Amino acid sequence: MKQITTDIQSPAEFTERFINQTNHSVFLTGKAGTGKTTLLKKIIDSTHKNTVVVAPTGIAALNAGGVTIHSFFQLPFAAFIPDFGQPPFLGQRTQFNTKTTLAQHFNMNKKKKIIFLKLELLIVDEVSMLRADLLDAMDFMLRKVRRNDAPFGGVQVLFIGDLMQLPPIVRREEKPTLDKYYRGSFFFNAKVIQEQPPLYIELEKIYRQNDPEFIELLNNLRNNHISEENVALLNNYSKPDFDATKHEGFITLTTHNAKADEINSKALQALSGRTKDYDAKVAKKFPDHMFPIPKTMELKVGAQVMFIKNDLSHEKRYYNGKIGRITELSADEVRVTFPEEKLTISVEPYEWENVKFSLDEKSGEIKEEVIGTFVHFPLKLAWAITVHKSQGLTFEKAVLDLSNVFAPGQAYVGLSRLVSLKGLVLTSPIRLNGLRNDQNVVDYAKNKADEKLLTRKLELGTVIYLQNKLQKTFNWDSMVSRWLSLEAAHKTAGPKSEMAKNKVWFENQINALMSTLEPSRKFRSQLIRICQPDQMNIDVLHERYEAAYQYFIKTLEPVFRGNIKQLLLLGKKSNVKQYAEDLGELDDLLTDVIIDLKKSRKLVQNLYNGKELSKENIWDDQIRNFKIAKIQVVKEEIRRENPTLGELDDFFEEKKSAKKKERSSKPKISTFDKTFDLFDKGRSIKEIADERVLTEKTVYGHIARLVKDEKIEIDAVLDQEKIEVMKDKLGKELEMTLTEAKDLVGDAISWEELKIYHASNLR
């Protein structure tokens, strides 16, 4: 008897499998530097489930590739009381909502509701900042919109974050009221978490540090086991008179914004020379509060700067938090040197994307749509930064000012940014009582699942997920009910109306659908017997599913094609708009049923064959393009039957053209590869910029990178005459900067053309 494989591998690999094979919610945590962000991006790119990513703040959402919690759930910025009735009035500055007031102000449009109904996986990043009351408000909205009273309306939730880091913020005026409902402000204090606790998974392999003594110290600090010996060890690195601005590569981590701004401002002013301003290129919708760095960047030669993103190229010349020094500034170039490596690089602009989530109506897939971009050099002044803003960064050398620690976890966050103790300097000795973390968080960490529990949860969760998923797949009663509601309109329609003419056809459609209801009910009963924990045989499930699929698809597909045919023919007639829209709604419902059958079939096949349940293995092109392909088949059929009919007015194309142009729903690829794909299809620089919501200057930067990586030949971009001019003027001088090169070639060659030549292998 073949069983589903549930062997435990690494926590990261297990998490990915657990998300894809079960519907149980997960809290994924881990110490600083254990790869939570890397795993988040891998899950987003690989999961077969309809997924939305949210985060508590705009910057956190931007970094995670998602949207804010308040914008997605359309929640007001007010505290939430998890009860019905009217909220207390505590003045204009302190607002509360209840289930009653949220329901009264509910105003979600149809498209957003459909996304909520299609949602299978909700990812919440930076969950340490998520308040308990906000999570309960999210839960209430999901249950209400989905009309499902299970926790989160039946949606699986992946919470990601480190609770030892940034805590939730509760205003003093809100606390007395919230204390009546919650034992604490962290997400795990929410009512919905008490109702259904997520599986607690911790990533343990640390990639940032490799010094056992330092790792042990951080673990003790994290778990409130810090000893006098640990404090003594830290205080060996106390140097009260240390001036970070006079030592290469040191950054000061302080607890307050004002202090960090003051240090950076003074250090910049102390440099000789003039300040040069660089402005971000902002396209379409990218609100100010989401800017990852200030729109205008003030730089000087000699300024110490930090990279705030990883290098996307294969060279990996810098990482998030790497510090260097500016050695040259020009109108179109910023050059940064890493003295210890004796390496100087020209910094390329980075593209941040503001996204929203939309639905592909033909496939039913939730996907990201880019609605705006922010392009800037991924740099910021780096003499100082707050502990808060340092989260996620890695430093070789840092000065820690922990004299005014005001929140549990700040000391841990600051220290854990460092690679080793060798790079640590403390501005003053620290005290043992200033290092404690929130005991509630430490206690919650005891819920971490061991390997035995993880294995058992995966075994049970996979079977339960299959049972629920397949039960839903083979239950299309509500779809047939909607068809039946239109049958009455056909029977009572006026004799000359299009409905009346189609009455017999529609009755045949209804009869075909009705014939599937009793067999589908019986098969759902079979599925309950087959999908039993500890008893399920994947061989039996695979054989029975395949037989059921073939049986039902023989009835459903002809109805589906008949409906498409009718919609295409209606395009040749007048005064049928409402009728076409009604049939269009039935078409959408039937499309969903058939695509669910096909997706679940792939799911069972992959489990049967021991393959990973990934987006690549489930959402294949045959499923994604199923409806488009069927429309083309029906069009050809109509043309064969009516060769003199002429061009068909395509109802489906009209629906599509009424929407904004949407991005591909394929897995994410790098921004450079997206540009390459369009260039390879013959698009001009301007066309690529328009289609990708970028400036032409940014696209030229992408082309330069692609030339450098030898994906594009330089003569496919530049005129041969201009290439010869640059060869003649510049030769093969490798150490020449772009500014020096521009002086030599003059105005005959643009900066963009020069950058492309500079990136090529012709030099």
Side-chain angles (χ1 to χ4, degrees), residues 143-178:
R143 295 189 199 213
K144 178 177 175 58
V145 177
R146 292 168 63 86
R147 297 183 180 180
N148 182 338
D149 202 39
F152 302 113
V155 172
Q156 182 181 34
V157 184
L158 170 60
F159 302 98
I160 299 184
D162 183 358
L163 297 178
M164 300 297 181
Q165 303 199 21
L166 304 177
I169 297 172
V170 178
R171 291 169 51 214
R172 187 175 62 243
E173 299 89 344
E174 298 169 330
K175 194 172 186 307
T177 302
L178 292 175

Side-chain angles (χ1 to χ4, degrees), residues 97 277 486 503 543 554 708 736:
N97 272 298
D277 292 347
L486 195 60
K503 186 170 72 170
E543 184 271 326
K554 282 191 298 186
K708 183 177 183 180
M736 186 184 298

Side-chain angles (χ1 to χ4, degrees), residues 35-73:
K36 294 184 295 296
T37 301
T38 301
L39 180 56
L40 164 65
K41 295 188 182 305
K42 190 169 188 291
I43 289 171
I44 292 170
D45 289 344
S46 67
T47 183
H48 63 91
K49 296 183 178 181
N50 270 327
T51 304
V52 166
V53 184
V54 297
T57 68
I59 298 300
L62 189 67
N63 290 334
V67 297
T68 64
I69 289 169
H70 284 87
S71 66
F72 182 72
F73 287 91

